[in-house]
Amino acid sequence: MHNVLVPFDGSASAKRAVQYLVDFSKVYPDIQVHLLNVQREPNLYGNYVPASMLDDLRKGAIQHAEKVNREAALLLEQAGISHQSHVAVGDVVTEVVAAVKRLGCNTVVMGTRGMGSLGNLVMGSVATRVVHDVPVPVLLVK
């Protein structure tokens, strides 16, 4: 069985990665897809932030991640592909590596251009970092 992790951020590139798997499943129907949307930790400035505010920000981030994943889950569901949706808050690459290990994924399929920030130009793209950090093959979809 192909146990695939799809880091999904809702970008056009990520949607193409999901469509690739839909097409792939027509030839290789024995596939399990794990969608993962990772939201970054909120950037807070100041000396004091109430714990309740931090909780609200994290809850909002998780709700947004679930909403983003729903679009991809619908495509997979319509194609009859077995899938699970996962969300996390933290560093994208760290969470992708952890999910690969935790979920026993044997492949990562992801888009080459996501909704990253200008920092990606300086530090290297998330896709490049994933390729170097995960212990399984990575298929990048343009």
Side-chain angles (χ1 to χ4, degrees):
M1 172 185 264
H2 294 282
N3 194 22
V4 180
L5 179 72
V6 179
F8 187 77
D9 65 0
S11 66
S13 185
K15 291 174 188 176
R16 286 190 297 274
V18 171
Q19 185 59 52
Y20 175 87
L21 286 172
V22 168
D23 297 341
F24 179 83
S25 72
K26 293 173 185 171
V27 178
Y28 300 99
D30 193 21
I31 186 171
Q32 168 69 36
V33 175
H34 294 277
L35 296 170
L36 175 65
N37 181 277
V38 180
Q39 297 293 307
R40 298 181 197 276
E41 289 284 351
N43 289 332
L44 301 174
Y45 302 96
N47 293 331
Y48 175 75
V49 176
S52 61
M53 179 184 269
L54 288 173
D55 286 342
D56 289 344
L57 290 171
R58 286 182 66 82
K59 286 177 188 172
I62 289 169
Q63 288 173 348
H64 178 70
E66 290 168 344
K67 180 181 176 185
V68 171
N69 271 352
R70 268 185 258 165
E71 182 179 2
L74 181 60
L75 290 172
L76 294 170
E77 188 174 309
Q78 290 172 344
I81 299 172
S82 177
H83 64 280
Q84 294 179 9
S85 185
H86 308 275
V87 299
V89 176
D91 174 66
V92 176
V93 176
T94 301
E95 294 298 329
V96 168
V97 171
V100 164
K101 294 175 182 175
R102 182 179 70 251
L103 301 169
C105 295
N106 53 24
T107 308
V108 174
V109 175
M110 65 186 295
T112 56
R113 295 271 184 226
M115 295 181 167
S117 63
L118 179 62
N120 284 341
L121 296 175
V122 177
M123 300 181 335
S125 72
V126 170
T128 300
R129 291 177 50 213
V130 168
V131 166
H132 290 286
D133 290 355
V134 297
V136 298
V138 178
L139 174 66
L140 298 176
V141 178
K142 284 180 106 176

